[in-house]
Amino acid sequence: MIKSMTGYGLATADAPESRYSVEIKSLNSKFFELNLKLPKAYSEKELAVRNLCSKEIERGKVSVSISAERNTGEVKGATINTVLVQQYFNQLKALDLELGAGSQDLLSTILTFPEVISYAEETVSEEEWEQVQHTFQEALRNFNSFRQAEGAVLSKDLSMRIGNILSHLRALEDLEPQRITHIRDKFSKFLEDAVGKVNVDQNRFEQELIYYIDKIDITEEKIRLKSHCDYFVQTLGSADANGKKLGFISQEIGREINTMGAKANDAAMQKLVVGMKEELEKIKEQLLNVL
């Protein structure tokens, strides 16, 4: 069953100290384009996440956001050197009194001094990363379920469009015998008006008529069109991601329809060919969103 390239998946998990959230969104694209947002502590895991996304999501313009909210009031990663702050403050206060400057808010000034605030690299434990991975996998399952549901809708519509093309083809086949009779009568009348009925070489006329009818015969095109349509429906039911393959098959369907249109030489048949082309254009539009 085909999948849509449009998808959405969200998963959250609660741990004693943190709440994890993973959100995956995607839109259609010819290639795999990933916009990844990770907490700074998980930066060393970025390559692993990108590789997993590339493998599991395959194609589309994808946005993945992973966040971790601490449940405790503790702020990690930033430390104030209180001893150094006290020393700076005492020295500046004494200098302020000596100069009579009357400076205000010395503390905010001190906090900008070098080494007053130090930042430690925040690390993630294996247990925490394992929890994030579980949350990511759950979001991925939700994401793929969304894609499959959208793909089922697309598959139903595409099957209907192929059915409409085949319906037009059957109607075209019903008109074909009339086309041959019409061509014969048209040419016969033209010759009779041009040179007179008694002057028409019937043997030569029949030879030329057979040659012309053979040139506009669409038997091979009809057989190939049916075959391509059957293959399209068969590919729709495949378990693999077949958006590109379906696109190639639709191109072959288009070639046969165009050739039949060029050979039709009949207004009623041309109208049916136009109907086929309309259905094929709708198919191509839908295939832009098939994985």
Side-chain angles (χ1 to χ4, degrees), residues 26-53:
S26 73
L27 297 172
N28 62 309
S29 175
K30 288 184 178 181
F31 310 102
F32 177 71
E33 303 174 50
L34 177 61
N35 178 25
L36 179 61
K37 295 180 181 179
L38 285 172
K40 187 177 181 181
Y42 300 161
S43 58
E44 65 178 19
K45 306 292 185 181
E46 181 176 346
L47 182 59
V49 174
R50 286 187 176 275
N51 290 337
L52 183 59
C53 289

PDB file of all heavy atoms in Angstrom, residues 26-53:
ATOM      1  N   SER A  26       6.038  16.384   7.840  1.00  0.00           N
ATOM      2  CA  SER A  26       6.627  16.307   6.494  1.00  0.00           C
ATOM      3  C   SER A  26       5.649  16.783   5.432  1.00  0.00           C
ATOM      4  O   SER A  26       4.435  16.685   5.593  1.00  0.00           O
ATOM      5  CB  SER A  26       7.059  14.868   6.174  1.00  0.00           C
ATOM      6  OG  SER A  26       5.942  14.045   5.924  1.00  0.00           O
ATOM      7  N   LEU A  27       6.228  17.303   4.348  1.00  0.00           N
ATOM      8  CA  LEU A  27       5.486  17.705   3.160  1.00  0.00           C
ATOM      9  C   LEU A  27       6.151  17.055   1.954  1.00  0.00           C
ATOM     10  O   LEU A  27       7.238  16.493   2.065  1.00  0.00           O
ATOM     11  CB  LEU A  27       5.485  19.238   3.022  1.00  0.00           C
ATOM     12  CG  LEU A  27       4.799  20.025   4.135  1.00  0.00           C
ATOM     13  CD1 LEU A  27       5.058  21.520   3.958  1.00  0.00           C
ATOM     14  CD2 LEU A  27       3.303  19.751   4.171  1.00  0.00           C
ATOM     15  N   ASN A  28       5.493  17.137   0.798  1.00  0.00           N
ATOM     16  CA  ASN A  28       6.051  16.471  -0.379  1.00  0.00           C
ATOM     17  C   ASN A  28       7.282  17.199  -0.921  1.00  0.00           C
ATOM     18  O   ASN A  28       7.385  18.414  -0.870  1.00  0.00           O
ATOM     19  CB  ASN A  28       4.997  16.341  -1.478  1.00  0.00           C
ATOM     20  CG  ASN A  28       4.498  17.679  -1.973  1.00  0.00           C
ATOM     21  OD1 ASN A  28       4.102  18.526  -1.197  1.00  0.00           O
ATOM     22  ND2 ASN A  28       4.524  17.890  -3.265  1.00  0.00           N
ATOM     23  N   SER A  29       8.216  16.416  -1.399  1.00  0.00           N
ATOM     24  CA  SER A  29       9.446  16.933  -2.002  1.00  0.00           C
ATOM     25  C   SER A  29      10.055  15.819  -2.847  1.00  0.00           C
ATOM     26  O   SER A  29       9.874  14.638  -2.554  1.00  0.00           O
ATOM     27  CB  SER A  29      10.437  17.375  -0.923  1.00  0.00           C
ATOM     28  OG  SER A  29      11.669  17.764  -1.505  1.00  0.00           O
ATOM     29  N   LYS A  30      10.782  16.184  -3.889  1.00  0.00           N
ATOM     30  CA  LYS A  30      11.418  15.179  -4.736  1.00  0.00           C
ATOM     31  C   LYS A  30      12.509  14.425  -3.990  1.00  0.00           C
ATOM     32  O   LYS A  30      12.807  13.282  -4.301  1.00  0.00           O
ATOM     33  CB  LYS A  30      12.021  15.836  -5.980  1.00  0.00           C
ATOM     34  CG  LYS A  30      10.989  16.314  -6.990  1.00  0.00           C
ATOM     35  CD  LYS A  30      11.673  16.861  -8.232  1.00  0.00           C
ATOM     36  CE  LYS A  30      10.666  17.295  -9.284  1.00  0.00           C
ATOM     37  NZ  LYS A  30      11.323  17.816 -10.506  1.00  0.00           N
ATOM     38  N   PHE A  31      13.117  15.085  -2.995  1.00  0.00           N
ATOM     39  CA  PHE A  31      14.243  14.495  -2.284  1.00  0.00           C
ATOM     40  C   PHE A  31      13.972  14.496  -0.781  1.00  0.00           C
ATOM     41  O   PHE A  31      12.918  14.943  -0.330  1.00  0.00           O
ATOM     42  CB  PHE A  31      15.528  15.274  -2.594  1.00  0.00           C
ATOM     43  CG  PHE A  31      15.765  15.483  -4.054  1.00  0.00           C
ATOM     44  CD1 PHE A  31      15.499  16.703  -4.661  1.00  0.00           C
ATOM     45  CD2 PHE A  31      16.245  14.448  -4.848  1.00  0.00           C
ATOM     46  CE1 PHE A  31      15.703  16.901  -6.016  1.00  0.00           C
ATOM     47  CE2 PHE A  31      16.458  14.631  -6.197  1.00  0.00           C
ATOM     48  CZ  PHE A  31      16.193  15.856  -6.782  1.00  0.00           C
ATOM     49  N   PHE A  32      14.935  13.993  -0.020  1.00  0.00           N
ATOM     50  CA  PHE A  32      14.837  14.005   1.437  1.00  0.00           C
ATOM     51  C   PHE A  32      15.494  15.278   1.964  1.00  0.00           C
ATOM     52  O   PHE A  32      16.691  15.485   1.779  1.00  0.00           O
ATOM     53  CB  PHE A  32      15.518  12.771   2.027  1.00  0.00           C
ATOM     54  CG  PHE A  32      15.513  12.742   3.534  1.00  0.00           C
ATOM     55  CD1 PHE A  32      14.344  12.514   4.238  1.00  0.00           C
ATOM     56  CD2 PHE A  32      16.682  12.963   4.238  1.00  0.00           C
ATOM     57  CE1 PHE A  32      14.344  12.486   5.620  1.00  0.00           C
ATOM     58  CE2 PHE A  32      16.692  12.938   5.614  1.00  0.00           C
ATOM     59  CZ  PHE A  32      15.514  12.700   6.310  1.00  0.00           C
ATOM     60  N   GLU A  33      14.704  16.149   2.578  1.00  0.00           N
ATOM     61  CA  GLU A  33      15.210  17.395   3.150  1.00  0.00           C
ATOM     62  C   GLU A  33      14.823  17.422   4.626  1.00  0.00           C
ATOM     63  O   GLU A  33      13.638  17.403   4.963  1.00  0.00           O
ATOM     64  CB  GLU A  33      14.603  18.604   2.445  1.00  0.00           C
ATOM     65  CG  GLU A  33      14.825  18.636   0.946  1.00  0.00           C
ATOM     66  CD  GLU A  33      14.079  19.783   0.283  1.00  0.00           C
ATOM     67  OE1 GLU A  33      14.210  20.928   0.761  1.00  0.00           O
ATOM     68  OE2 GLU A  33      13.333  19.524  -0.681  1.00  0.00           O
ATOM     69  N   LEU A  34      15.823  17.466   5.508  1.00  0.00           N
ATOM     70  CA  LEU A  34      15.569  17.370   6.945  1.00  0.00           C
ATOM     71  C   LEU A  34      15.956  18.645   7.673  1.00  0.00           C
ATOM     72  O   LEU A  34      17.075  19.139   7.545  1.00  0.00           O
ATOM     73  CB  LEU A  34      16.349  16.193   7.532  1.00  0.00           C
ATOM     74  CG  LEU A  34      16.231  16.000   9.048  1.00  0.00           C
ATOM     75  CD1 LEU A  34      14.785  15.730   9.458  1.00  0.00           C
ATOM     76  CD2 LEU A  34      17.139  14.875   9.516  1.00  0.00           C
ATOM     77  N   ASN A  35      15.014  19.178   8.439  1.00  0.00           N
ATOM     78  CA  ASN A  35      15.271  20.283   9.361  1.00  0.00           C
ATOM     79  C   ASN A  35      15.165  19.708  10.770  1.00  0.00           C
ATOM     80  O   ASN A  35      14.078  19.367  11.226  1.00  0.00           O
ATOM     81  CB  ASN A  35      14.250  21.399   9.150  1.00  0.00           C
ATOM     82  CG  ASN A  35      14.452  22.548  10.130  1.00  0.00           C
ATOM     83  OD1 ASN A  35      15.555  22.750  10.638  1.00  0.00           O
ATOM     84  ND2 ASN A  35      13.388  23.276  10.421  1.00  0.00           N
ATOM     85  N   LEU A  36      16.296  19.586  11.455  1.00  0.00           N
ATOM     86  CA  LEU A  36      16.360  18.904  12.753  1.00  0.00           C
ATOM     87  C   LEU A  36      16.653  19.893  13.877  1.00  0.00           C
ATOM     88  O   LEU A  36      17.608  20.662  13.797  1.00  0.00           O
ATOM     89  CB  LEU A  36      17.433  17.814  12.712  1.00  0.00           C
ATOM     90  CG  LEU A  36      17.671  17.010  13.993  1.00  0.00           C
ATOM     91  CD1 LEU A  36      16.423  16.257  14.400  1.00  0.00           C
ATOM     92  CD2 LEU A  36      18.846  16.055  13.794  1.00  0.00           C
ATOM     93  N   LYS A  37      15.827  19.843  14.926  1.00  0.00           N
ATOM     94  CA  LYS A  37      16.037  20.682  16.111  1.00  0.00           C
ATOM     95  C   LYS A  37      16.264  19.773  17.317  1.00  0.00           C
ATOM     96  O   LYS A  37      15.405  18.969  17.659  1.00  0.00           O
ATOM     97  CB  LYS A  37      14.823  21.586  16.347  1.00  0.00           C
ATOM     98  CG  LYS A  37      14.586  22.610  15.252  1.00  0.00           C
ATOM     99  CD  LYS A  37      13.376  23.475  15.562  1.00  0.00           C
ATOM    100  CE  LYS A  37      13.132  24.494  14.449  1.00  0.00           C
ATOM    101  NZ  LYS A  37      11.932  25.328  14.729  1.00  0.00           N
ATOM    102  N   LEU A  38      17.437  19.947  17.932  1.00  0.00           N
ATOM    103  CA  LEU A  38      17.819  19.128  19.081  1.00  0.00           C
ATOM    104  C   LEU A  38      18.273  20.009  20.241  1.00  0.00           C
ATOM    105  O   LEU A  38      18.851  21.074  20.013  1.00  0.00           O
ATOM    106  CB  LEU A  38      18.988  18.200  18.721  1.00  0.00           C
ATOM    107  CG  LEU A  38      18.718  16.968  17.862  1.00  0.00           C
ATOM    108  CD1 LEU A  38      20.045  16.330  17.478  1.00  0.00           C
ATOM    109  CD2 LEU A  38      17.867  15.968  18.605  1.00  0.00           C
ATOM    110  N   PRO A  39      18.054  19.599  21.492  1.00  0.00           N
ATOM    111  CA  PRO A  39      18.676  20.306  22.614  1.00  0.00           C
ATOM    112  C   PRO A  39      20.195  20.239  22.491  1.00  0.00           C
ATOM    113  O   PRO A  39      20.742  19.283  21.917  1.00  0.00           O
ATOM    114  CB  PRO A  39      18.189  19.520  23.840  1.00  0.00           C
ATOM    115  CG  PRO A  39      16.942  18.827  23.388  1.00  0.00           C
ATOM    116  CD  PRO A  39      17.171  18.511  21.938  1.00  0.00           C
ATOM    117  N   LYS A  40      20.875  21.234  23.012  1.00  0.00           N
ATOM    118  CA  LYS A  40      22.336  21.295  22.891  1.00  0.00           C
ATOM    119  C   LYS A  40      22.997  20.055  23.484  1.00  0.00           C
ATOM    120  O   LYS A  40      24.010  19.573  22.968  1.00  0.00           O
ATOM    121  CB  LYS A  40      22.855  22.552  23.585  1.00  0.00           C
ATOM    122  CG  LYS A  40      24.340  22.799  23.365  1.00  0.00           C
ATOM    123  CD  LYS A  40      24.779  24.097  24.005  1.00  0.00           C
ATOM    124  CE  LYS A  40      26.268  24.343  23.765  1.00  0.00           C
ATOM    125  NZ  LYS A  40      26.724  25.599  24.396  1.00  0.00           N
ATOM    126  N   ALA A  41      22.412  19.510  24.540  1.00  0.00           N
ATOM    127  CA  ALA A  41      23.003  18.349  25.199  1.00  0.00           C
ATOM    128  C   ALA A  41      23.015  17.119  24.299  1.00  0.00           C
ATOM    129  O   ALA A  41      23.793  16.193  24.502  1.00  0.00           O
ATOM    130  CB  ALA A  41      22.240  18.035  26.494  1.00  0.00           C
ATOM    131  N   TYR A  42      22.132  17.107  23.274  1.00  0.00           N
ATOM    132  CA  TYR A  42      22.029  15.950  22.389  1.00  0.00           C
ATOM    133  C   TYR A  42      22.795  16.136  21.076  1.00  0.00           C
ATOM    134  O   TYR A  42      22.637  15.353  20.152  1.00  0.00           O
ATOM    135  CB  TYR A  42      20.564  15.674  22.037  1.00  0.00           C
ATOM    136  CG  TYR A  42      19.661  15.390  23.204  1.00  0.00           C
ATOM    137  CD1 TYR A  42      18.286  15.507  23.079  1.00  0.00           C
ATOM    138  CD2 TYR A  42      20.172  15.017  24.447  1.00  0.00           C
ATOM    139  CE1 TYR A  42      17.437  15.240  24.145  1.00  0.00           C
ATOM    140  CE2 TYR A  42      19.343  14.762  25.518  1.00  0.00           C
ATOM    141  CZ  TYR A  42      17.975  14.875  25.365  1.00  0.00           C
ATOM    142  OH  TYR A  42      17.157  14.620  26.425  1.00  0.00           O
ATOM    143  N   SER A  43      23.614  17.171  20.995  1.00  0.00           N
ATOM    144  CA  SER A  43      24.270  17.500  19.720  1.00  0.00           C
ATOM    145  C   SER A  43      25.134  16.362  19.197  1.00  0.00           C
ATOM    146  O   SER A  43      25.238  16.162  17.979  1.00  0.00           O
ATOM    147  CB  SER A  43      25.114  18.770  19.876  1.00  0.00           C
ATOM    148  OG  SER A  43      26.084  18.602  20.900  1.00  0.00           O
ATOM    149  N   GLU A  44      25.738  15.587  20.083  1.00  0.00           N
ATOM    150  CA  GLU A  44      26.591  14.482  19.637  1.00  0.00           C
ATOM    151  C   GLU A  44      25.776  13.331  19.029  1.00  0.00           C
ATOM    152  O   GLU A  44      26.318  12.463  18.358  1.00  0.00           O
ATOM    153  CB  GLU A  44      27.442  13.956  20.785  1.00  0.00           C
ATOM    154  CG  GLU A  44      26.642  13.328  21.915  1.00  0.00           C
ATOM    155  CD  GLU A  44      27.532  12.776  23.019  1.00  0.00           C
ATOM    156  OE1 GLU A  44      28.703  13.174  23.109  1.00  0.00           O
ATOM    157  OE2 GLU A  44      27.023  11.942  23.781  1.00  0.00           O
ATOM    158  N   LYS A  45      24.454  13.356  19.262  1.00  0.00           N
ATOM    159  CA  LYS A  45      23.580  12.314  18.720  1.00  0.00           C
ATOM    160  C   LYS A  45      22.949  12.725  17.380  1.00  0.00           C
ATOM    161  O   LYS A  45      22.182  11.962  16.796  1.00  0.00           O
ATOM    162  CB  LYS A  45      22.454  12.010  19.712  1.00  0.00           C
ATOM    163  CG  LYS A  45      22.914  11.664  21.123  1.00  0.00           C
ATOM    164  CD  LYS A  45      23.646  10.339  21.164  1.00  0.00           C
ATOM    165  CE  LYS A  45      23.977   9.948  22.591  1.00  0.00           C
ATOM    166  NZ  LYS A  45      24.720   8.658  22.659  1.00  0.00           N
ATOM    167  N   GLU A  46      23.288  13.911  16.903  1.00  0.00           N
ATOM    168  CA  GLU A  46      22.625  14.444  15.707  1.00  0.00           C
ATOM    169  C   GLU A  46      22.804  13.544  14.490  1.00  0.00           C
ATOM    170  O   GLU A  46      21.852  13.278  13.745  1.00  0.00           O
ATOM    171  CB  GLU A  46      23.154  15.846  15.391  1.00  0.00           C
ATOM    172  CG  GLU A  46      22.484  16.467  14.173  1.00  0.00           C
ATOM    173  CD  GLU A  46      22.935  17.890  13.920  1.00  0.00           C
ATOM    174  OE1 GLU A  46      23.565  18.495  14.813  1.00  0.00           O
ATOM    175  OE2 GLU A  46      22.653  18.402  12.812  1.00  0.00           O
ATOM    176  N   LEU A  47      24.012  13.067  14.264  1.00  0.00           N
ATOM    177  CA  LEU A  47      24.268  12.230  13.094  1.00  0.00           C
ATOM    178  C   LEU A  47      23.434  10.955  13.132  1.00  0.00           C
ATOM    179  O   LEU A  47      22.875  10.536  12.109  1.00  0.00           O
ATOM    180  CB  LEU A  47      25.758  11.894  13.002  1.00  0.00           C
ATOM    181  CG  LEU A  47      26.176  11.056  11.788  1.00  0.00           C
ATOM    182  CD1 LEU A  47      25.824  11.771  10.486  1.00  0.00           C
ATOM    183  CD2 LEU A  47      27.670  10.737  11.848  1.00  0.00           C
ATOM    184  N   ALA A  48      23.334  10.334  14.317  1.00  0.00           N
ATOM    185  CA  ALA A  48      22.551   9.105  14.453  1.00  0.00           C
ATOM    186  C   ALA A  48      21.082   9.368  14.155  1.00  0.00           C
ATOM    187  O   ALA A  48      20.416   8.557  13.492  1.00  0.00           O
ATOM    188  CB  ALA A  48      22.711   8.540  15.859  1.00  0.00           C
ATOM    189  N   VAL A  49      20.570  10.505  14.631  1.00  0.00           N
ATOM    190  CA  VAL A  49      19.167  10.854  14.389  1.00  0.00           C
ATOM    191  C   VAL A  49      18.932  11.114  12.903  1.00  0.00           C
ATOM    192  O   VAL A  49      17.932  10.667  12.328  1.00  0.00           O
ATOM    193  CB  VAL A  49      18.760  12.086  15.225  1.00  0.00           C
ATOM    194  CG1 VAL A  49      17.341  12.535  14.869  1.00  0.00           C
ATOM    195  CG2 VAL A  49      18.839  11.770  16.713  1.00  0.00           C
ATOM    196  N   ARG A  50      19.847  11.828  12.274  1.00  0.00           N
ATOM    197  CA  ARG A  50      19.711  12.118  10.838  1.00  0.00           C
ATOM    198  C   ARG A  50      19.711  10.832  10.013  1.00  0.00           C
ATOM    199  O   ARG A  50      18.925  10.674   9.071  1.00  0.00           O
ATOM    200  CB  ARG A  50      20.834  13.044  10.377  1.00  0.00           C
ATOM    201  CG  ARG A  50      20.664  14.483  10.826  1.00  0.00           C
ATOM    202  CD  ARG A  50      21.711  15.395  10.217  1.00  0.00           C
ATOM    203  NE  ARG A  50      21.466  16.776  10.600  1.00  0.00           N
ATOM    204  CZ  ARG A  50      20.633  17.591   9.956  1.00  0.00           C
ATOM    205  NH1 ARG A  50      19.989  17.143   8.873  1.00  0.00           N
ATOM    206  NH2 ARG A  50      20.454  18.834  10.348  1.00  0.00           N
ATOM    207  N   ASN A  51      20.608   9.907  10.342  1.00  0.00           N
ATOM    208  CA  ASN A  51      20.672   8.641   9.607  1.00  0.00           C
ATOM    209  C   ASN A  51      19.393   7.842   9.777  1.00  0.00           C
ATOM    210  O   ASN A  51      18.890   7.235   8.821  1.00  0.00           O
ATOM    211  CB  ASN A  51      21.874   7.818  10.069  1.00  0.00           C
ATOM    212  CG  ASN A  51      23.200   8.408   9.629  1.00  0.00           C
ATOM    213  OD1 ASN A  51      23.258   9.166   8.665  1.00  0.00           O
ATOM    214  ND2 ASN A  51      24.263   8.084  10.345  1.00  0.00           N
ATOM    215  N   LEU A  52      18.850   7.837  10.984  1.00  0.00           N
ATOM    216  CA  LEU A  52      17.607   7.109  11.247  1.00  0.00           C
ATOM    217  C   LEU A  52      16.436   7.729  10.484  1.00  0.00           C
ATOM    218  O   LEU A  52      15.611   7.020   9.900  1.00  0.00           O
ATOM    219  CB  LEU A  52      17.313   7.102  12.751  1.00  0.00           C
ATOM    220  CG  LEU A  52      16.082   6.308  13.199  1.00  0.00           C
ATOM    221  CD1 LEU A  52      16.222   4.842  12.790  1.00  0.00           C
ATOM    222  CD2 LEU A  52      15.893   6.423  14.708  1.00  0.00           C
ATOM    223  N   CYS A  53      16.381   9.055  10.473  1.00  0.00           N
ATOM    224  CA  CYS A  53      15.315   9.750   9.735  1.00  0.00           C
ATOM    225  C   CYS A  53      15.407   9.457   8.248  1.00  0.00           C
ATOM    226  O   CYS A  53      14.395   9.202   7.583  1.00  0.00           O
ATOM    227  CB  CYS A  53      15.399  11.255   9.970  1.00  0.00           C
ATOM    228  SG  CYS A  53      14.924  11.786  11.631  1.00  0.00           S
TER     229      CYS A  53
END
